[in-house]
Amino acid sequence: MASEPAVHTGGCQCGAVRFRVTGPLDDASICHCRMCQKAFGAYYAPLVSTRGARLEWTRGEPKRFQSSNLVRRGFCGDCGTPLTYEAPDGVALAAGAFDDPAGLAPWIQYGIEGRLPYVQGLSALPARRTEEDEAVADFLSRIVSFQHPDHDTGHWPPRTGA
């Protein structure tokens, strides 16, 4: 008896764009090139290739920016969450956009000529949990999240009123 293929879901921060990937996801990477840094607004871009799996947009669809002659970048047009790297050889999704990114560990780094000099030392920096930062405790206690939860929903945002 064949086992069911793996199913991975995810989407943007506001919930306007959601996706489902059916099949294996075993090609996760980090790209340090300057184009990926700009597209993600970060030191590097964590990406997961969907080659060999089936990608479906289950709510909305990304807006796209043609970042080069061969590559388009997809993002949520409402909240700006980076979502895709689309090249002739397939689509990669932003690892952090998955509902459960913990199982998508990168195995290779690309574009290391653009790697910022301090990135390799990030794990050595002092670290603390959010709730341990007493200077912002009052601020944090007043936050009400409007972020989409890490699972599929029938509709979003939630309906309010009586």
Side-chain angles (χ1 to χ4, degrees), residues 109-133:
Q109 298 180 67
Y110 293 108
I112 61 168
E113 68 283 353
R115 184 170 50 206
L116 299 171
Y118 45 81
V119 167
Q120 288 182 285
L122 292 177
S123 64
L125 292 175
R128 62 180 169 210
R129 298 180 56 83
T130 303
E131 63 271 13
E132 293 172 351
D133 189 350

Side-chain angles (χ1 to χ4, degrees), residues 69-71 85-91:
N69 62 322
L70 298 176
V71 174
Y85 170 91
E86 303 172 22
D89 65 343
V91 175

